[in-house]
Amino acid sequence: QVTLKESGPVLVKPTETLTLTCTVSGFSLSNARVGVSWIRQPPGKALEWLAHIFSNDEGSYSTSLKNRLTISKDISKSQVVLAMTNMDPVDTATYYCAYTDCSTTSCYPGPPWFDPWGQGTLVTVSS
Amino acid sequence: DIQMTQSPSSLSASVGDRVNITCQASQGISIYLNWYQQKPGKAPKLLIHDASILETWVPSRFSGRGSGTDFTLTISSLQPEDIATYFCQQYDNLPLTFGGGTKVEIK
């Protein structure tokens, strides 16, 4: 059974860098046929895809946020990490990581869908 | 970026009613359109992929159709457990984009 769980700070200050960790189980990040994305949702608002990491460590990013985002993975720890620089109050949101099975569909240039998702972690940006 | 416009943003219907939610893409996306269901306080769950293919857990009262720019999610007979917000998502082009969501409530 594939599961994902997000962790990280609940509160960050403006201009700081946010680092979030997605710990996965039920699959290996070394598997060439899987992918993990980060998606966020401001309170009461819509979903926004942020980034995806492929099996070869290549990442794809949101156009509007690509200059602030870095996605990486640690296979030995079963973790995918998202770093977002220069945080602002508008970045307050629940951040989700999500899985894509690429064995039955192409994940290039990006994942087609997300299933399942982690439970999400709420990050508030405030001084 | 491809803009996804959902309507209505919210709706209230009675148990047993037929409910339609539409999603319009700013350019043609073939059938590369997914629907998610998000219950309050929970993560979204994939409901339908490729415009019309239901996930295995989804009741048959749900259906999806469309291609190109216009898509519809239908609940043929609304049930209390269908109370949720529904989002569409395109994957024809990066960046992946979602619609604004449709909140479904019981009248």
Side-chain angles (χ1 to χ4, degrees), chain A residues 41 63 96 109 111-114 117-118, chain B residues 34 36 38 43-44 89 91 94-95:
Chain A
Q41 185 175 34
T63 306
Y96 296 98
W113 50 74
F114 313 105
W117 299 50
Chain B
N34 307 314
Y36 296 84
Q38 184 178 33
Q89 173 242 320
Y91 67 98
L94 292 182

Side-chain angles (χ1 to χ4, degrees), chain B residues 22-42:
Chain B
T22 64
C23 180
Q24 186 170 59
S26 59
Q27 64 188 66
I29 58 170
S30 186
I31 61 166
Y32 303 137
L33 187 284
N34 307 314
W35 291 96
Y36 296 84
Q37 178 191 69
Q38 184 178 33
K39 296 192 173 181
K42 300 294 187 182

Side-chain angles (χ1 to χ4, degrees), chain B residues 25-71:
Chain B
S26 59
Q27 64 188 66
I29 58 170
S30 186
I31 61 166
Y32 303 137
L33 187 284
N34 307 314
W35 291 96
Y36 296 84
Q37 178 191 69
Q38 184 178 33
K39 296 192 173 181
K42 300 294 187 182
K45 290 183 67 175
L46 181 64
L47 189 71
I48 290 173
H49 69 87
D50 289 336
S52 63
I53 301 175
L54 270 61
E55 294 302 300
T56 56
W57 64 272
V58 179
S60 59
R61 61 181 178 273
F62 288 88
S63 64
R65 70 179 191 273
S67 67
T69 60
D70 296 303
F71 301 85

